[in-house]
């Protein structure tokens, strides 16, 4: 593992050093786990007690945190992002093999860019193109005509279906499925007819897609995940959705067909958003929240039941079935009191 | 891409032509995106404004829509289904390779029907059978003794576990897992004992299963998905469930063990249904709804919290913990007013 | 299939025989489906009517069930666990091939223990180790440096990412992803920076992980699933979580980052638990429940909306937006009545 002084870290990350700039660190760890040769970080003053007790050799801290700490510090405006860069410097990912593994099945007319790694058992369809420096993990499948931009990292067992388009620097985690058919059904007499899904799934640049997440292809138009959007695991994005740039979506979220999520949104885990809605920019949807109507103003939106002991819940929840009646009883009391 | 006149489309789909029957279309698109050489459709009068503004060369419309439109139209009783057929005619799926790819690992005693395509890296176990004209996508695994009916389409990376049975014309999307063990646990002293799952997962004819959806095998009896049922992505069907014919289930739904869903039901996205329930035929469960008791009458059922601004939610939701007390307070007010 | 007398079953399972100990059974089935040559079971007196009508040749029953039954019985303190053992004896799983399939891609420096089976198309990375008697299903991927303990069963298409550790006797179902990156993002000016995920995912001994379930690796520290924990399908365990020993988690559950679930807990299907929480030992979270705060006392906790007909729901749910106002109206009525 590489070792760097605070001064060397500063050369990469910027910021201001507080304390000994020659302090050497050779790895990263959490405040609780760090040893005197490791770098750690704190995001706000809520972690001050932990920071003071930490054995870490140096810390990355927010520059607006004007507090003495026992450790030498590198102070920056975006401490979490700076720490992310420091992790990449101090604990670089293991190097990846080069070249096309002999067990990969690559169509003769697929275009493979320079310095690409294609792992064991990968299947690349006719007319597909793989951009320069891409790394395609073992047992992934790139369908006919699909396009993968430069510098993408596909982990093992990713599927990109035919004709779909992935921008530059995408990261796709194991089990992700890009461009499966949307759920298009038409009723006819006594059964469902499948509506062929003729659109594509398009991921713009710098998109990350979590493990076992599904981005369906469009029915006629395309499904689009805009630049810089980040999606966690086990998410469903239905056909014709559009997820705005730099929007982050936590795990287990479902977004039904043709819904548009704005830019800079944050969608909490397990939130569910029905179809054909518009969510404007800079909306935060709380975890577990169900969204069934448009959101036209930035802000935080929520719709969850508070947790109760089961016995309490039984007594309270039963009344939810009679809330309308309760309101009428209150109204009638109000009328009577007015009469009196 | 093939080009067809409205008269030729009518020969395939039936219906009545309104306007020039020689109008030529050579592709499909949404009302907003269609060009003068493309076919589009509308399902009801709510889309009339969009239809009038559309550049589409021709439209498929409901026959009961008695309205003049600028475009030549083909009017039919099931316009969405007719459009689905038209998409298949005008934008046929790319042709699939024939034969067994040399990299596939097919057990010597597996039965492979005529005109089957088996993709790269597919693994087919001992005693499995693959019906005529099936297409098995790259890196799929068909377990020992599993049976796949005629004309099935398995996309890449599908798993059908040992002994499971898939009917005719099934479509299984990437990452689908048919016949994994149900979650069978028995407590013994200080830990869980695994209950072997000895049943099968059975899909009858014309079933579609979405990406990364799981249909568990039965514990003793079988798990059954009946004819024509359609399941979207990331759905969990637990052991011993039965999903009735022509029932459609949207993404992210979970159905716990031994529950039976009737025929012609529609289960909205992210609905969760607990185990050992009976849901009768023709029930619609709204998206996001939690079902914890039998449903014995057809109709629409719902159980979701309305969305609020987070600040409003904080004020309102706190009272849910005291609803029982509130009802008692109202009751006491009513009693006092009666006394007065 | 092997045939066993009740006396032979008793030799394996313990317990007391009621009736003819020479009764021969040669398979297992549910009470409803069992034939006279098959063994079935009942867990409590609620199944007595079904048991009396059952054609089963013999039954496993709870020893505290002091009731005459028409069938010979084997009575034990843990009837479900005993039945689980009986299924394994009477319907043993099909034997697995031995050795490393020639199509598997095993790194030259991977350590493969004795009597291991490695299926077709499996990819095992550099420095990985596979314990004795493991069975690795077709098309699974074991990343560089990952360690799999003795006697594990990996079904087809499992991914264990680099450096992760799996204990002894684990069962991993198809599509499971162990050790994908956690969802670590840091905001910087106008976009998200990826926080490298430097921790591992660790599964202790006797853990079972369902189909398409995701256990993310830690950000800095590790994600840990403790001994004997059992997880169903389509579950998300985020980075730095800890799931206590012998805790069982049903399908579709999501647990956000850094949350700790105690030992002997049961988490119902589709429950969602937010990040940075502590749930103590022996907590039951009901299905569909949303947990947004620590739980410090054992017990059953719930937070779901009751199901209603949609029309009733519309009338009742609307008032949830005005619950705070309603409470104020009741308070004002109470004040007025006091004045009177």
């Amino acid at each position: 593992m590489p070792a760097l002084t605070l001064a060397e870290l500063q050369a990469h990350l910027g910021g201001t050093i507080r304390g000994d700039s020659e302090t050497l660190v050779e790895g990263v760890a959490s405040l609780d786990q760090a040893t005197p040769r490791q770098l750690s970080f704190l995001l706000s003053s809520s972690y001050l007690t932990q920071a003071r007790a930490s054995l870490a050799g140096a810390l990355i801290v927010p520059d607006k945190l004007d507090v003495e700490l026992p450790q030498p510090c590198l102070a920056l405006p975006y401490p979490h992002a700076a720490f992310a860069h420091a992790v990449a410097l101090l604990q670089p990912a293991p190097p990846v093999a080069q070249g096309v593994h002999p067990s990969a099945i690559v169509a003769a007319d697929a275009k493979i860019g320079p310095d690409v790694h294609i792992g064991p058992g990968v299947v690349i369809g006719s007319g597909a193109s793989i951009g320069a420096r891409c790394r395609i993990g073992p047992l992934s499948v790139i369908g006919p005509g699909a396009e993968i931009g430069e510098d993408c990292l596909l982990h093992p067992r990713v599927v990109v279906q035919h004709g779909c388009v992935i921008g530059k620097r995408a990261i796709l985690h194991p089990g992700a499925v890009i461009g499966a058919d949307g759920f298009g059904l038409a009723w006819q007499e006594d059964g469902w007819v499948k509506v062929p899904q003729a659109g594509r799934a398009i991921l713009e640049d710098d998109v990350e897609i979590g493990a076992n997440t599904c981005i369906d292809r469009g029915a006629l138009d395309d499904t689009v995940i805009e630049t810089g959007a980040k999606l966690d695991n086990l998410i469903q994005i239905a056909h014709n959705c559009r997820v705005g740039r730099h929007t982050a979506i936590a795990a287990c979220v479902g977004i039904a067909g043709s819904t548009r999520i704005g830019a800079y949104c944050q969608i909490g885990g397990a939130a569910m958003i029905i179809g054909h809605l518009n969510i404007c920019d800079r909306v935060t949807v709380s975890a577990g929240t169900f969204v069934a109507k448009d959101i036209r103003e930035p802000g935080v939106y929520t719709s969850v039941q508070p947790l109760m002991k089961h016995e309490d819940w039984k007594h309270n929840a039963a009344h939810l079935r009679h809330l309308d009646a309760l309101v009428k009883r209150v109204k009638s009391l109000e009328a009577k009191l007015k009469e009196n």
Side-chain angles (χ1 to χ4, degrees), chain A:
Chain A
M1 240 182 281
L4 294 174
T5 63
L6 265 192
E8 287 166 330
L9 275 174
Q10 184 191 36
H12 283 101
L13 310 175
T16 315
I17 293 173
R18 301 174 184 170
D20 179 3
S21 66
E22 290 311 298
T23 308
L24 197 73
V25 288
E26 53 186 6
V28 294
S30 59
L31 288 171
D32 292 349
Q33 302 287 324
T35 65
R37 296 296 286 258
Q38 289 181 309
L39 177 74
S40 194
F41 74 113
L42 70 167
L43 293 188
S44 74
S45 56
S46 357
Y47 297 91
L48 275 177
T49 313
Q50 266 178 278
R52 289 197 173 106
S54 175
L55 301 177
L59 297 176
I60 285 179
V61 300
D63 54 8
K64 25 178 212 204
L65 186 79
D66 192 16
V67 168
E68 281 283 311
L69 281 165
Q71 302 91 343
C73 294
L74 182 59
L76 301 115
Y78 295 99
H80 199 190
F83 187 73
H85 293 305
V87 177
L89 290 167
L90 289 163
Q91 299 192 178
V96 173
Q98 285 296 315
V100 178
H101 194 275
S103 64
I105 313 283
V106 181
D109 62 347
K111 286 164 229 119
I112 310 296
D115 300 319
V116 160
H117 170 61
I118 296 180
V122 167
V123 179
I124 299 185
S126 173
S129 72
I130 311 290
R133 295 171 302 281
C134 281
R135 293 168 285 159
I136 312 293
L139 302 173
S140 288
V141 179
I142 312 298
E147 299 171 29
I148 314 287
E150 298 175 359
D151 297 296
C152 289
L153 169 56
L154 276 65
H155 283 275
R157 252 188 45 202
V158 166
V159 171
V160 179
Q161 292 281 59
H162 64 95
C164 292
V165 178
I166 312 288
K168 294 175 185 166
R169 296 173 297 278
I171 301 176
L172 309 185
H173 289 284
V177 177
I178 312 300
D181 281 354
F183 197 53
L185 300 174
W187 188 259
Q188 186 175 27
E189 286 168 32
D190 189 47
W192 296 105
V193 174
K194 180 178 176 65
V195 182
Q197 301 291 295
R200 301 170 297 172
I202 296 180
L203 276 53
E204 296 181 354
D205 295 341
D206 297 301
V207 166
E208 184 165 354
I209 302 290
N212 286 340
T213 281
C214 301
I215 315 287
D216 279 351
R217 63 194 312 118
L220 290 171
D221 304 336
D222 298 319
T223 305
V224 180
I225 311 293
E226 294 183 2
T227 297
K230 310 292 185 186
L231 279 69
D232 197 354
N233 299 346
L234 288 169
I235 290 169
Q236 156 71 357
I237 306 289
H239 53 188
N240 307 321
C241 284
R242 178 174 279 267
V243 173
R245 60 190 198 285
H246 305 302
T247 280
I249 304 182
C252 304
V253 164
I255 303 183
S258 302
T259 281
R260 283 157 174 264
I261 311 283
Y264 304 103
C265 291
Q266 297 192 31
I267 312 294
M272 292 288 160
I273 306 182
I274 70 160
H276 297 274
L277 296 187
N278 278 289
I279 311 292
C280 70
D281 292 354
R282 300 187 190 279
V283 163
T284 295
V285 173
S286 301
T289 286
F290 181 76
V291 181
K293 56 174 194 174
D294 286 352
I295 298 181
R296 301 207 174 94
E297 276 178 54
V300 183
Y301 294 81
T302 306
S303 79
V304 293
Q305 278 252 15
L307 188 73
M308 305 176 207
K309 289 204 167 185
H310 188 72
E311 286 306 304
D312 296 339
W313 173 82
K314 277 204 294 192
H315 291 124
N316 287 307
H319 300 301
L320 290 172
R321 294 189 208 272
H322 309 290
L323 210 48
D324 193 43
L326 182 71
V327 171
K328 282 182 182 135
R329 284 160 65 186
V330 170
K331 206 174 273 179
S332 139
L333 285 168
E334 288 168 335
K336 276 190 192 159
L337 260 179
K338 230 172 186 170
E339 283 167 28
N340 284 13

